[in-house]
Amino acid sequence: MERPTAYTIAFKGLKNGEHTFCFPIDGALFAAFDNAEIRDGAGEARVVLHRSERQLVCDVRIDARVTVPCDRCLEDCTLPVAYEGRLVVKFSEAGGEYDGEVLWLYPGDTEVDLAQYVYESIVLSLPYRRVHPDGGCDPAMLERFRIVSPQEFAAIEADAEAPTEAQVADDGAEPSEELSPEEAEAVQAAGAEFFGDAEAVNARWREQLASLKERLERNEK
């Protein structure tokens, strides 16, 4: 993973006191951390850095909007992000540690990278349930992903697993005595092709059922 450099502060030449920095929030930040849920973003992170001889204190304010898939219809959904927090930067020979609130650097370090802190602050600021406002979802997608009751799901599953009347009739039918060997061979080949396609269709249907069942169970929690 290549970490973005846009969130780095070179503090070595700064005087003790307060310094302000502004960093843009965009899709490159989330791509750098391989976040597939956050598809894009736009906004700003404002950092007020308080420098002293022994440590740095970063007061961070994030105002942004991010694009994520809606939990209800799976279409793009834009959510606001408003975050305020503080990161303390300390120095030690055991540098490199980070717990979300304190970042330890080595005494010889001259820069502080805030990319991970900004990224995590945005992710943790998002609501657990990410949906469009009422009426904002795509009706066609809602119909495709309509949550069915357990009784409806059981009926769909049973219907998918039950043999059709045509299959029952084919299983019980006597071989036709009127077919020539060539015709019988052609029918047999067509039947093999049909049932091969049917198996593929059933496999896809089972996958859809599993996905539907998973969404049903998740929404019942």
Side-chain angles (χ1 to χ4, degrees):
M1 178 184 68
E2 184 177 350
R3 189 72 61 84
T5 59
Y7 305 91
T8 299
I9 297 177
F11 58 83
K12 183 178 180 180
L14 298 179
K15 296 180 179 180
N16 290 347
E18 184 178 294
H19 306 271
T20 302
F21 302 87
C22 293
F23 303 104
I25 303 294
D26 55 28
L29 173 66
F30 310 107
F33 286 91
D34 297 327
N35 190 312
E37 291 189 0
I38 301 181
R39 297 171 177 171
D40 202 357
E44 182 181 77
R46 184 174 183 270
V47 180
V48 178
L49 183 146
H50 306 271
R51 190 188 195 288
S52 66
E53 293 296 337
R54 302 187 61 182
Q55 66 179 20
L56 308 173
V57 177
C58 299
D59 288 323
V60 181
R61 178 187 177 93
I62 299 173
D63 293 296
R65 300 182 71 82
V66 298
T67 302
V68 299
C70 173
D71 288 340
R72 186 184 294 131
C73 71
L74 301 185
E75 293 293 291
D76 283 353
C77 174
T78 301
L79 299 177
V81 174
Y83 171 83
E84 292 187 16
R86 168 170 287 186
L87 175 67
V88 178
V89 181
K90 298 184 178 183
F91 299 89
S92 168
E93 294 298 338
E97 297 295 326
Y98 170 67
D99 65 3
E101 296 181 354
V102 178
L103 172 64
W104 292 89
L105 298 181
Y106 293 102
D109 286 341
T110 60
E111 297 179 338
V112 56
D113 181 4
L114 300 178
Q116 184 171 350
Y117 179 81
V118 171
Y119 165 77
E120 291 181 354
S121 299
I122 293 174
V123 172
L124 294 176
S125 297
L126 294 177
Y128 174 75
R129 184 166 172 76
R130 306 164 188 177
V131 297
H132 286 102
D134 290 343
C137 289
D138 184 345
M141 294 298 292
L142 285 181
E143 181 60 26
R144 290 180 61 186
F145 293 104
R146 183 177 69 88
I147 300 300
V148 301
S149 67
Q151 293 77 13
E152 289 176 309
F153 182 83
I156 293 173
E157 193 172 37
D159 184 64
E161 293 177 351
T164 64
E165 293 181 3
Q167 289 173 329
V168 172
D170 288 342
D171 289 341
E174 293 292 333
S176 174
E177 297 180 357
E178 299 179 0
L179 295 179
S180 67
E182 293 79 9
E183 290 174 326
E185 183 177 352
V187 170
Q188 185 177 9
E193 181 178 357
F194 170 78
F195 285 109
D197 291 342
E199 289 179 2
V201 171
N202 287 336
R204 290 195 296 271
W205 178 243
R206 291 190 205 98
E207 292 178 359
Q208 294 175 359
L209 282 175
S211 176
L212 181 60
K213 189 172 185 179
E214 181 181 348
R215 289 180 62 83
L216 177 63
E217 293 173 349
R218 188 166 65 246
N219 279 269
E220 286 181 343
K221 293 181 180 179

